């Protein structure tokens, strides 16, 4: 932390990296569903949660892969609440770091 009450460059970088990691990990199941839906619609295939449908992509049946990607969306029921909790913890940690930096600057 610098003497003028601002966070140091390394601390800022750490908070930014943590924010990106939290957001990406929380959103991965949703992104998987979106990617499988886009691929299926691009190649004229049907994808749903019931069972795997055949889907020819680049000469191979990728229906099983698309089905797995689509069903991964159910993990969002776990990852999104944990991501929200991690985001709240991240915000609290950032606020504490900023308050400490300002107090340290006022004491100097």
């Amino acid at each position: 932390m610098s003497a003028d009450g601002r966070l140091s460059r390394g601390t800022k970088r750490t908070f930014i990296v943590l924010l990106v990691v939290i957001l990406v990990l929380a959103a991965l199941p949703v992104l998987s569903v979106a990617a499988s839906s886009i691929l299926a619609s691009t190649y004229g295939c049907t994808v749903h949660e019931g069972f795997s449908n055949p889907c020819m992509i680049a000469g191979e049946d990728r229906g099983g892969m698309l089905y797995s990607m689509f069903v991964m969306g159910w993990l969002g029921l776990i990852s999104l609440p944990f991501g929200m909790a991690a985001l709240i913890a991240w915000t609290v940690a950032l606020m504490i770091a900023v308050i400490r930096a300002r107090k340290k600057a006022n004491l100097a």
Side-chain angles (χ1 to χ4, degrees), residues 44-108:
C45 303
T46 302
V47 64
H48 54 80
E49 297 165 337
F51 52 87
S52 174
N53 292 308
C55 182
M56 298 304 286
I57 299 175
E60 292 186 33
D61 181 16
R62 301 289 184 185
M65 176 191 70
L66 292 177
Y67 170 76
S68 297
M69 289 173 63
F70 194 78
V71 173
M72 289 290 251
W74 284 103
L75 289 177
L77 293 173
I78 297 169
S79 72
L80 292 175
F82 275 109
M84 183 59 80
L87 192 58
I88 291 169
W90 177 89
T91 304
V92 170
L94 178 62
M95 290 170 46
I96 290 170
V98 168
I99 290 169
R100 284 186 179 175
R102 289 186 180 172
K103 281 186 180 180
K104 190 174 183 179
N106 288 338
L107 293 175

Side-chain angles (χ1 to χ4, degrees), residues 1-81:
M1 293 177 214
S2 63
D4 63 352
R6 295 183 183 184
L7 296 176
S8 69
R9 182 177 291 168
T11 304
K12 286 180 187 178
R13 185 176 300 141
T14 300
F15 275 107
I16 291 170
V17 167
L18 285 174
L19 176 63
V20 169
V21 167
I22 290 168
L23 293 176
V24 167
L25 288 178
L28 274 177
V30 177
L31 295 174
S32 176
V33 170
S36 68
S37 297
I38 290 169
L39 278 171
S41 66
T42 300
Y43 289 97
C45 303
T46 302
V47 64
H48 54 80
E49 297 165 337
F51 52 87
S52 174
N53 292 308
C55 182
M56 298 304 286
I57 299 175
E60 292 186 33
D61 181 16
R62 301 289 184 185
M65 176 191 70
L66 292 177
Y67 170 76
S68 297
M69 289 173 63
F70 194 78
V71 173
M72 289 290 251
W74 284 103
L75 289 177
L77 293 173
I78 297 169
S79 72
L80 292 175

